[in-house]
Amino acid sequence: FLFHRETTKMAGFTAYGLEHDVNSLKVQTVAKLVSLPDFEYKVVKGTAGKSITPRGTLPVLHFNGEILYGTNAIIRYLIALAKDSQLLGDDAFTKAQVLQWSEFSSNDLEILATVSV
């Protein structure tokens, strides 16, 4: 369930998320940034999204019969699909720095942004 084989066939990707949600916006932005083919984003209204994932959280990505949830997991997967992408770093230290900034953004900046609104 949690770990599944990697498929080489690139089928359509459908992301589900909330309309005015920073995490859903991140997924949409990265999909555009890496020019992901056949990407579609669908807004989920109300509590409909709660049944899509085991955790009941959004955004979620559907592809090749698989489901991936967790904003940073989805983003890292989409970036990894991009050919010749250096967005995740090209060596162990740079990859760790990318992760460091990703965690800082998720844990510190987003909290400040939501509190100050």
Side-chain angles (χ1 to χ4, degrees):
F1 173 71
L2 293 177
F3 300 100
H4 204 309
R5 73 202 173 295
E6 183 67 30
T7 58
T8 55
K9 179 184 171 197
M10 295 249 308
F13 293 85
T14 304
Y16 297 89
L18 301 172
E19 189 170 11
H20 299 291
D21 176 61
V22 68
N23 290 323
S24 298
L25 180 60
K26 285 181 191 180
V27 171
Q28 293 175 71
T29 302
V30 169
K32 289 179 185 177
L33 182 66
V34 300
S35 301
L36 188 65
D38 300 324
F39 179 82
E40 181 180 11
Y41 180 78
K42 294 184 178 181
V43 173
V44 176
K45 297 194 185 273
T47 59
K50 298 291 183 188
S51 63
I52 296 175
T53 67
R55 287 182 49 210
T57 60
L58 294 171
V60 63
L61 181 68
H62 283 222
F63 60 98
N64 292 336
E66 304 288 351
I67 297 173
L68 186 61
Y69 59 92
T71 305
N72 289 330
I74 294 170
I75 289 170
R76 292 172 87 58
Y77 179 73
L78 296 178
I79 292 171
L81 291 176
K83 294 185 184 213
D84 302 322
S85 174
Q86 297 300 311
L87 292 174
L88 295 176
D90 58 359
D91 61 50
F93 183 71
T94 307
K95 288 178 182 183
Q97 286 182 312
V98 170
L99 182 58
Q100 172 183 296
W101 280 102
S102 175
E103 289 178 6
F104 172 71
S105 171
S106 294
N107 297 329
D108 297 323
L109 294 181
E110 289 174 22
I111 291 171
L112 288 174
T114 56
V115 169
S116 63
V117 170

